């Protein structure tokens, strides 16, 4: 691409201070260095994790920074040593990446990569300790290695998953966080056996994905628990057999159930 190796100027939503409204700014995005990829972000979602670290209540405040991690985009250019991806590939960012070499990456029981595990306090690239974002020459920090609230971002190759170009990015962008988090929590951590009863607390994107995992595992009874009764109908599409709204009961949730129709 014509922009390869050059600084790209683009729009980004910058968080200048904790809890203050994001500001649309023109930022400079440097070319990717070794084992890095520059991605054109086409779609990005808002995850509560973004809000949590934007508020910075009880965490180390790292500002100014570009938030965002649940997204889908297209590879614009690649840095030295990148062989898995080429310009034009469709990708999803993953904030807990894989070096594919450490003990955690080689294990079937863990994905907490020694090199690329999530680090919310680090606002720079791991290769050289520098940010790839600047405004008038001053650095703007990264967020969990993804920073998708920018039209272009630079990400370590181990934090990108190549996907089928036919997959609609406006929908599969949710796979880069919410859906994989919930589905993985059920299939890879809880690991329910066929015929078991499973309860899911909270029926947002993560909860519904966890519910889908329970359905795929063959759970015979899937209990959805949420304070919002409007989520009942949607939950049925993901395998919900029972729905409990704690507001409707005086006894503990585990003693209450309401069979779905």
């Amino acid at each position: 691409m014509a922009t390869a190796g050059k600084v790209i100027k683009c729009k980004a939503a910058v968080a200048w201070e904790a809890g203050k409204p994001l500001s649309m700014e023109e930022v400079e995005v440097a070319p990717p260095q070794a084992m890095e990829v520059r991605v054109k972000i086409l779609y990005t979602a808002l995850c509560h994790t973004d809000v949590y670290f934007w508020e910075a209540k009880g965490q180390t405040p790292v500002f100014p920074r570009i938030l965002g991690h649940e997204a889908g985009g297209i590879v614009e250019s690649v840095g030295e040593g990148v062989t898995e991806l080429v310009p034009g590939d469709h990708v999803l960012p993953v904030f807990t990446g894989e070096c594919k070499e450490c003990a955690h990456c080689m294990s079937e029981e863990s994905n907490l990569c020694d090199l690329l595990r999530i680090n919310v306090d680090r606002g720079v690239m791991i290769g050289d300790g520098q940010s790839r974002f600047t405004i008038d020459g001053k650095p703007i920090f990264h967020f969990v290695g993804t920073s998708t609230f920018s039209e272009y971002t630079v990400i370590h190759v181990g934090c990108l998953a190549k996907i089928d170009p036919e997959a609609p990015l406006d929908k599969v962008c949710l796979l880069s966080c919410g859906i994989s988090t919930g589905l993985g929590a059920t299939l890879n951590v809880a690991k329910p056996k066929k015929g078991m009863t499973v309860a899911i607390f909270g029926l947002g994107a993560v909860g519904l994905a966890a519910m889908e995992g329970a359905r795929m595992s063959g759970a015979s009874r899937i209990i959805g628990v949420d304070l919002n009764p409007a989520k009942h109908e949607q939950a049925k599409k993901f395998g919900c057999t029972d729905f409990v709204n704690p507001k409707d009961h005086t006894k503990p949730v585990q003693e209450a159930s309401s069979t779905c129709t």
Side-chain angles (χ1 to χ4, degrees), residues 5 10 29 37 61 88 94 96 100 118 125 150 160 166 173 221 243:
C10 68
V29 186
V37 178
V94 184
T96 294
K100 300 180 182 179
I118 184 172
M125 301 301 291
S150 175
L160 288 167
E166 296 298 318
C173 65
R221 190 180 184 199
F243 180 83

Side-chain angles (χ1 to χ4, degrees), residues 82-106:
V82 175
T83 58
E84 303 97 318
L85 297 170
V86 297
D89 282 344
H90 287 212
V91 292
L92 301 179
V94 184
F95 56 78
T96 294
E98 295 182 358
C99 70
K100 300 180 182 179
E101 297 177 350
C102 72
H104 286 287
C105 285
M106 300 301 290

Side-chain angles (χ1 to χ4, degrees), residues 17-30:
E17 298 179 59
K20 298 296 179 65
L22 305 187
S23 175
M24 294 302 300
E25 306 282 358
E26 183 178 77
V27 300
E28 300 103 23
V29 186

Side-chain angles (χ1 to χ4, degrees), residues 46-118:
L46 175 64
C47 174
H48 192 269
T49 299
D50 297 308
V51 177
Y52 183 74
F53 286 97
W54 164 71
E55 293 176 330
K57 297 177 180 178
Q59 313 100 35
T60 302
V62 182
F63 295 99
R65 79 192 313 181
I66 297 173
L67 299 165
H69 62 281
E70 191 172 60
I74 298 176
V75 173
E76 176 270 337
S77 60
V78 301
E80 180 183 353
V82 175
T83 58
E84 303 97 318
L85 297 170
V86 297
D89 282 344
H90 287 212
V91 292
L92 301 179
V94 184
F95 56 78
T96 294
E98 295 182 358
C99 70
K100 300 180 182 179
E101 297 177 350
C102 72
H104 286 287
C105 285
M106 300 301 290
S107 170
E108 294 182 357
E109 300 300 324
S110 172
N111 68 337
L112 295 176
C113 176
D114 288 338
L115 179 66
L116 299 173
R117 69 177 64 188
I118 184 172

Side-chain angles (χ1 to χ4, degrees), residues 187-206:
L187 298 180
N188 299 328
V189 181
K191 299 179 181 179
K193 305 298 183 184
K194 185 175 181 179
M196 282 186 170
T197 296
V198 176
I200 310 292
F201 289 77
L203 302 181
V206 175

Side-chain angles (χ1 to χ4, degrees), residues 174-188:
L174 296 175
L175 288 169
S176 71
C177 180
I179 304 305
S180 56
T181 298
L183 194 69
T186 303
L187 298 180
N188 299 328

Side-chain angles (χ1 to χ4, degrees), residues 121-160:
D121 295 333
R122 183 175 61 229
V124 295
M125 301 301 291
I126 62 173
D128 59 4
Q130 301 294 315
S131 174
R132 301 291 175 260
F133 298 110
T134 55
I135 293 180
D136 296 329
K138 298 180 180 180
I140 305 296
F141 295 115
H142 295 250
F143 176 63
V144 296
T146 54
S147 292
T148 62
F149 289 176
S150 175
E151 292 177 319
Y152 286 86
T153 187
V154 177
I155 302 174
H156 190 283
V157 66
C159 292
L160 288 167

